[in-house]
Amino acid sequence: MGMLVKNGAYVAARAKSRKRKLIDSTRFRQLVQQTPEQLAVSIADLGYRQEIDMYASGFKGSDLIEVGLSHNLENELANIIGLCSGEIRKQVEIYTGRFRYHNAKVVMRAVLNEMDSSEIAHSVLPEENEINVPWLKMVEEANSLRSAVEQMRRLPFGKALLALSDSATLGEYEDVLDRHYFQSSLDSLSGNSPETRVLKKLLATEIDHRNIINILEAEEFGLSAEETLAALVTGGRMIKESSFNAVTASGRNGLLDVLRQSRRFDIDEFEKMIAQSDADKTLDPVITWLRKREIATMQSLSYLHPVSALPVVHYVSCKVREVENLRLIVRGASAGLSAEVLEAHIL
C-alpha cells in the first residue's frame, strides 16, 4: 500500500505541475486573432518548438503544426504512462487506451477512402514517431476495409471486429469499437474504491453523451429504430439499457422524456442547444455543449482524491483538449473562419 501511495503522490504532483503549464483561455482568445503564419511561431513558443523544428524540413504551414501537435501528444501520453505503476497505471491506461481505438478508426477511414499512408503520415499519424509505424503499415497493406480489420485481429478489439460479417460498413465497425472500449474499460474497473467509482461515473457520462448524439443523428439521417439501437452503448446512467427500446422507437421526444427524469441534467439549457442546432442545421451546438459538460464533470471530480489516478487522468484530458483546441484554431484559420466562430468552438 505504501508503494501505491508513493507512486500516486509522485505522479499526481508531476501531473499537476504539467497542468499548470498548459495554455489558458486568455491565451487561446489571443491565438484565434492570429494569421496562420503567426500561429506557427506562437504555438512553437507555447511548448511545441521541439516537434515543430523536428518536422520543419518536410512540412510547412498548417501541416507542420498538425504533425508537430500529434507527435507531442503521443509522446506526452507515453511519457505519463511511463511514470505510473500498479493500479494507478491501470486506471490511467483506461483513459489513454481510447487513442488506440481512435487510430483503428483512422486506419479504417483511410483504407475506405483509398488514402495513401503518406497522407495519414502528414497529419494524424506522423511516421517519425515509431508508435505510428504499425498503423501506417496497416494502411499500406490493406486493400479493403475487411483486410484492414483482419490486420487488427491481434489487438484487444480484433475479435469483436471480426465477429461482424464481411460486408459490414465503416459505421458498424466504429460502433463495435465504441462499445468494446467502454465495455472493457468498465469491466477493468474492479473493486469499489472511491477513485474507481469516480472513473466509472466519468465513463457513464461519456456513454450517455455518446448515446444522446447517436439518437439525434439517427433521427436526422432517418435511421430505423433497429439501426439506432445497434449504435447505442450500454453502461450510461441517464439512458439506461432498459429504456433503449422506448427511446429508439420515439426518437428525440423519447430521449427528452428520459433526460427530464435526471436531476443532474440541465434539460432547459439542453433544449436551447437543440433549438440552436435546428436553426443552424448542424448538431455542433449540442456536441460542444455536451463536451463542455464532460469537461466540467471531469474538473469537479479530479479534486476529490488528490493522491490517486484522478489528477493524472484530469491532466491527460486537459492536454488532449489543448491539442484539440490548437488543431481547431489552425484548421479554422487556414480555412478563413472568423475569430468569433473559432472562439465559440474552443473547449
Side-chain angles (χ1 to χ4, degrees):
M1 183 63 195
M3 191 62 209
L4 178 66
V5 171
K6 193 174 166 193
N7 183 248
Y10 170 70
V11 182
R14 292 289 295 269
K16 282 175 190 159
S17 104
R18 290 179 188 208
K19 189 155 74 69
R20 282 195 290 273
K21 293 178 187 152
L22 293 175
I23 302 169
D24 61 17
S25 54
T26 310
R27 196 76 185 94
F28 275 125
R29 280 197 291 275
Q30 292 166 345
L31 289 173
V32 298
Q33 309 288 341
Q34 297 190 351
T35 64
E37 295 71 35
Q38 291 169 322
L39 279 172
V41 177
S42 297
I43 290 172
D45 288 345
L46 288 166
Y48 294 88
R49 176 166 309 284
Q50 190 183 336
E51 291 79 12
I52 287 176
D53 286 351
M54 186 193 300
Y55 288 101
S57 61
F59 298 85
K60 56 179 188 295
S62 58
D63 278 353
L64 170 60
I65 306 175
E66 286 248 1
V67 82
L69 290 172
S70 293
H71 191 116
N72 178 286
L73 179 60
E74 287 165 350
N75 274 10
E76 184 61 5
L77 294 181
N79 189 285
I80 215 85
I81 286 290
L83 295 176
C84 303
S85 61
E87 193 61 26
I88 285 183
R89 181 177 177 127
K90 194 173 128 190
Q91 291 176 340
V92 174
E93 277 182 327
I94 286 170
Y95 196 83
T96 58
R98 62 187 55 196
F99 299 103
R100 186 187 262 180
Y101 290 78
H102 167 75
N103 289 350
K105 290 181 183 179
V106 169
V107 167
M108 288 196 274
R109 283 178 202 151
V111 171
L112 190 66
N113 296 320
E114 296 182 355
M115 288 174 78
D116 196 79
S117 61
S118 63
E119 289 177 70
I120 308 295
H122 267 61
S123 55
V124 203
L125 300 169
E127 63 192 331
E128 276 80 350
N129 200 343
E130 61 196 39
I131 298 169
N132 294 323
V133 172
W135 298 108
L136 293 168
K137 195 162 172 259
M138 286 180 199
V139 176
E140 225 162 83
E141 293 179 359
N143 54 12
S144 69
L145 191 52
R146 190 65 182 186
S147 69
V149 166
E150 278 162 4
Q151 291 187 67
M152 297 179 194
R153 65 188 176 279
R154 290 196 181 87
L155 294 173
F157 43 76
K159 200 185 268 184
L161 291 173
L162 288 169
L164 287 178
S165 77
D166 288 7
S167 58
T169 63
L170 175 66
E172 287 168 331
Y173 282 125
E174 291 192 335
D175 288 343
V176 164
L177 284 172
D178 289 344
R179 273 199 298 277
H180 190 279
Y181 168 70
F182 285 114
Q183 201 51 63
S184 58
S185 297
L186 287 169
D187 289 348
S188 68
L189 283 170
S190 52
N192 201 26
S193 68
E195 57 267 34
T196 297
R197 289 201 300 273
V198 169
L199 284 168
K200 281 182 173 169
K201 187 177 175 183
L202 286 171
L203 287 168
T205 301
E206 287 190 294
I207 291 168
D208 278 324
H209 291 179
R210 180 72 51 104
N211 286 336
I212 289 169
I213 292 163
N214 281 337
I215 292 161
L216 294 175
E217 280 182 342
E219 186 153 294
E220 210 172 274
F221 296 130
L223 300 185
S224 69
E226 291 75 30
E227 288 170 313
T228 311
L229 194 58
L232 298 185
V233 180
T234 58
R237 294 190 177 186
M238 290 190 295
I239 312 168
K240 298 250 186 326
E241 191 175 3
S242 55
S243 63
F244 278 7
N245 285 322
V247 172
T248 52
S250 48
R252 182 195 285 196
N253 291 333
L255 170 67
L256 291 171
D257 286 344
V258 169
L259 294 176
R260 280 189 194 101
Q261 293 163 26
S262 176
R263 291 195 312 278
R264 290 166 194 237
F265 191 76
D266 188 344
I267 191 70
D268 295 338
E269 202 53 39
F270 181 66
E271 287 185 319
K272 281 184 203 163
M273 291 303 121
I274 286 206
Q276 183 72 53
S277 285
D278 288 345
D280 297 351
K281 294 187 170 49
T282 167
L283 279 177
D284 266 4
V286 168
I287 292 167
T288 303
W289 186 80
L290 289 173
R291 277 287 280 124
K292 285 181 176 169
R293 187 175 181 267
E294 263 165 45
I295 289 161
T297 306
M298 172 81 81
Q299 192 138 9
S300 63
L301 297 175
S302 68
Y303 302 115
L304 291 177
H305 306 284
V307 180
S308 74
L310 294 177
V312 188
V313 169
H314 186 226
Y315 163 68
V316 169
S317 80
C318 291
K319 174 68 183 178
V320 170
R321 194 164 78 245
E322 174 176 287
V323 168
E324 282 174 355
N325 283 338
L326 290 172
R327 274 198 190 122
L328 174 88
I329 293 169
V330 169
R331 286 174 191 167
S334 302
L337 296 181
S338 71
E340 292 73 37
V341 169
L342 291 176
E343 202 169 322
H345 283 83
I346 285 177
L347 295 165

